[in-house]
C-alpha cells in the first residue's frame, strides 16, 4: 500500500461527504432564494417566513434520502474496514 492508495481512499471519502452535504444544502439554498425573492417583492421582512420552508424542506429531504445516504456510508465503511490491513501496511 503506497501513498496513491491512501490518497484515492481519502478522495473517495471526500466525494461521498460532498454528495451527502450537497443533496441537502442545494435544495435548501434554492428555497432560500425563492423565499428571498418573494419577500423582496412583497416587502414582508419576517424571519419565520424564510426559516420554516427551509426547515420543512431539509427534514423532508433527510427523511426521504436517509436510507440511501446510510447505505452508501455503510458500504464505504465496510470497504475500508475490510481493507484495513492493507491500509496499515
Amino acid at each position: 500500500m503506497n501513498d496513491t492508495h491512501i490518497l484515492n481512499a481519502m478522495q473517495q471519502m471526500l466525494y461521498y461527504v460532498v454528495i451527502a452535504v450537497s443533496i441537502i444544502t442545494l435544495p435548501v439554498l434554492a428555497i432560500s432564494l425563492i423565499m428571498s425573492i418573494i419577500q423582496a417583492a412583497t416587502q414582508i421582512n419576517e424571519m419565520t417566513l424564510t426559516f420554516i420552508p427551509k426547515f420543512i424542506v431539509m427534514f423532508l429531504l433527510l427523511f426521504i434520502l436517509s436510507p440511501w445516504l446510510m447505505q452508501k456510508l455503510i458500504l464505504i465503511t465496510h470497504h475500508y474496514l475490510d481493507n484495513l490491513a492493507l491500509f496499515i501496511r
Side-chain angles (χ1 to χ4, degrees):
M1 181 68 49
N2 55 15
D3 293 339
T4 307
H5 291 97
I6 299 296
L7 288 175
N8 285 337
M10 293 298 287
Q11 181 182 11
Q12 189 178 15
M13 285 189 284
L14 184 62
Y15 172 76
Y16 281 119
V17 167
V18 167
I19 293 297
V21 168
S22 63
I23 283 175
I24 303 301
T25 55
L26 289 178
V28 170
L29 180 67
I31 293 296
S32 295
L33 183 64
I34 292 168
M35 291 306 297
S36 297
I37 291 171
I38 290 172
Q39 280 187 334
T42 60
Q43 296 182 354
I44 299 173
N45 291 326
E46 181 65 33
M47 290 303 296
T48 57
L49 288 177
T50 59
F51 180 71
I52 299 298
K54 288 190 292 189
F55 194 70
I56 291 170
V57 167
M58 182 182 65
F59 279 108
L60 187 64
L61 283 171
L62 282 173
F63 181 73
I64 293 170
L65 297 175
S66 287
W68 180 77
L69 287 172
M70 287 305 294
Q71 179 187 12
K72 290 293 182 185
L73 292 174
I74 288 171
L75 191 111
I76 196 168
T77 303
H78 278 292
H79 172 71
Y80 289 128
L81 288 178
D82 289 342
N83 296 324
L84 187 62
L86 296 175
F87 289 124
I88 293 175
R89 287 187 198 165

